[in-house]
Amino acid sequence: MMSVRSNVFYKTLTPLMVAITASSALFLSACNNSNTQADTKQIETTADLSIFEGCYTVSHDEPAQIKVSQEGGAWVMQMKEPASAKRVWDDAEPLEVIENSDIATYFSIDPENVDAVIGRPDRVLVLAHVKPVYANIDPLLDSEYLSYIYRGANTIYRVECDDVNTDILANPHSNIVIDNVNESS
């Protein structure tokens, strides 16, 4: 049987021990959360942008239209010039890393499924690389690359770079005649 003195000791010690344990748990979890957030930011800022190096087009059957490369330690993009320009690629435009927290502005995809995002400073062009595992299971994706070009998002395809001019300004519909459906026959 416990003495009265022991009982008072345990009644005093128990709340004190609970308070110390709770404080320690809160302190440790707060430290753990801040490290996790710092680790996440570290991962986002150290994304491997070399996955973007290469040329892209909007269809498998078309030549390259966009070229992403590294120039002087910075990432740049170029667009294919028309045949009349006397050069294949236009002047390089700078690209910058876009944070995963901004992905929803350009693409309807969970940021957890994206490796990296880069874009022009004016955001007229934004490119995202989707994790290969996710691209394989999402039936709406037929490529690991997404492009946002002036208010429209779509998949794009990585293709071999070439140095052949194409007439990208040609109007493929110039010889099509559309009859007025309201005309009476």
Side-chain angles (χ1 to χ4, degrees), residues 87-161:
R87 64 182 184 170
V88 178
W89 298 100
D90 70 355
D91 296 330
E93 294 284 336
L95 295 172
E96 58 189 25
V97 175
I98 297 173
E99 296 297 324
N100 278 11
S101 58
D102 293 332
I103 289 175
T105 304
Y106 309 102
F107 308 106
S108 58
I109 188 168
D110 184 345
E112 294 293 320
N113 298 317
V114 176
D115 287 327
V117 183
I118 59 173
R120 287 178 29 163
D122 62 7
R123 301 301 191 254
V124 170
L125 172 76
V126 176
L127 298 174
H129 183 261
V130 178
K131 292 179 180 178
V133 172
Y134 185 76
N136 287 335
I137 63 169
D138 187 332
L140 298 176
L141 297 178
D142 55 354
S143 171
E144 293 176 16
Y145 296 92
L146 298 175
S147 70
Y148 171 89
I149 301 174
Y150 189 68
R151 299 187 185 177
N154 206 347
T155 55
I156 57 172
Y157 306 95
R158 191 171 188 173
V159 296
E160 291 296 318
C161 291

Side-chain angles (χ1 to χ4, degrees), residues 55-57 62-66 80 89 159-162 164 166:
C55 291
Y56 301 89
T57 185
E62 295 181 15
Q65 298 170 351
I66 299 170
K80 185 99 33 113
W89 298 100
V159 296
E160 291 296 318
C161 291
D162 62 68
V164 177
T166 57

